[in-house]
Amino acid sequence: MTAPADLSIAVTPTAGLAPADRDAILALFRQNYRDANAAYLEKSLHVLAFAAIARDPEGRPAGFALGEPRVIDLPRLPAQPVRLAGLCCVDPAFRRQGLFRRLEHAVLSARELPAAPRWLSAGRMAHPASFRTMSANPTVVPRRGMRPTPWQQAVGAAIAAAYGTREFDPETFVCRGTGAPIGWPIIEIEAAPEEWELFRPVDRTRGDSLLGISWTPDAPPGWDDPAILP
């Protein structure tokens, strides 16, 4: 079996992907999702600027990630560095070897961001397992049992727009889909009942996803204050 260290990762602008790379990304997407929606993938390739593709020594694709480091004018936060994470799919033969994180790191470091006291991370989640790492961050939104503040809702709406989402619910942080499923993850999802609470309004049959945002190393002052308006 190929060891993780033997895999090479190349980061390429999505606008300049070679046909072979696009085919590899689509094949991995279909390998990870039942009834994978190719139109959703194509939209993601237009919205996010970079793709990271891992290959074994023989050139066979082992996984990919889409994403983009971007500077966005957010409510009360002009020129804010943001890391927009997108789809990440790994060949089953290379799972549980840290490849997911390597791909995410590669694609979210593809462009140098200006120095800033903090940055915002964002991603659209299909299920609690994909949200688990971000949900451990104390600055994360949404959070169980807490209504997003007006400022958090406004920032969430701006990030959803950066992903090309046309309909966003600021109360639940649900990005409404186009009416067709994105696909159904071909993995065994182990999650506690409370982890599913935030996903109750997510309708996967119409292509919904849950937007998650969190700060590193800390949130801006007043982030959780409901009295602060955008």
Side-chain angles (χ1 to χ4, degrees):
M1 178 181 293
T2 302
D6 294 331
L7 298 174
S8 63
I9 297 178
V11 178
T12 306
T14 49
L17 279 172
D21 289 335
R22 298 178 76 91
D23 290 344
I25 288 172
L26 179 57
L28 285 162
F29 181 39
R30 287 172 171 165
Q31 192 176 29
N32 281 258
Y33 285 81
R34 189 177 71 255
D35 299 326
N37 186 337
Y40 176 84
L41 174 62
E42 190 62 33
K43 179 180 177 181
S44 295
L45 290 170
H46 282 287
V47 169
L48 298 172
F50 297 99
I53 304 176
R55 296 184 183 274
D56 70 9
E58 284 72 44
R60 291 180 294 245
F64 79 89
L66 305 180
E68 182 182 352
R70 189 186 299 179
V71 175
I72 303 175
D73 287 328
L74 298 177
R76 300 179 64 90
L77 298 164
Q80 174 61 51
V82 179
R83 291 189 169 101
L84 299 169
L87 273 172
C88 184
C89 297
V90 173
D91 184 303
F94 296 96
R95 289 178 185 164
R96 302 185 185 278
Q97 299 181 39
L99 182 55
F100 185 100
R101 290 192 178 187
R102 286 180 62 195
L103 287 164
E104 288 281 314
H105 176 75
V107 80
L108 295 178
S109 304
R111 176 190 290 143
E112 186 175 358
L113 289 172
R118 61 186 58 84
W119 71 84
L120 184 70
S121 296
R124 291 177 294 178
M125 317 297 171
H127 48 74
S130 60
F131 188 45
R132 191 167 291 142
T133 299
M134 181 177 283
S135 66
N137 186 315
T139 70
V140 72
V141 182
R143 273 173 261 173
R144 287 188 298 112
M146 296 185 65
R147 181 189 182 193
T149 68
W151 187 18
Q152 292 168 352
Q153 291 185 27
V155 170
I159 296 299
Y163 277 113
T165 300
R166 292 185 179 181
E167 291 187 52
F168 174 72
D169 184 343
E171 293 282 346
T172 64
F173 267 52
V174 170
C175 296
R176 184 160 183 168
T178 59
I182 296 168
W184 310 97
I186 307 175
I187 61 170
E188 185 177 345
I189 301 171
E190 297 180 1
E194 59 269 20
E195 291 183 282
W196 283 102
E197 288 183 19
L198 291 172
F199 288 82
R200 287 176 183 167
V202 176
D203 185 350
R204 295 293 292 175
T205 65
R206 69 183 180 196
D208 291 1
S209 57
L210 183 75
L211 176 67
I213 58 175
S214 64
W215 292 96
T216 301
D218 56 11
W223 179 240
D224 289 327
D225 188 347
I228 293 183
L229 301 178

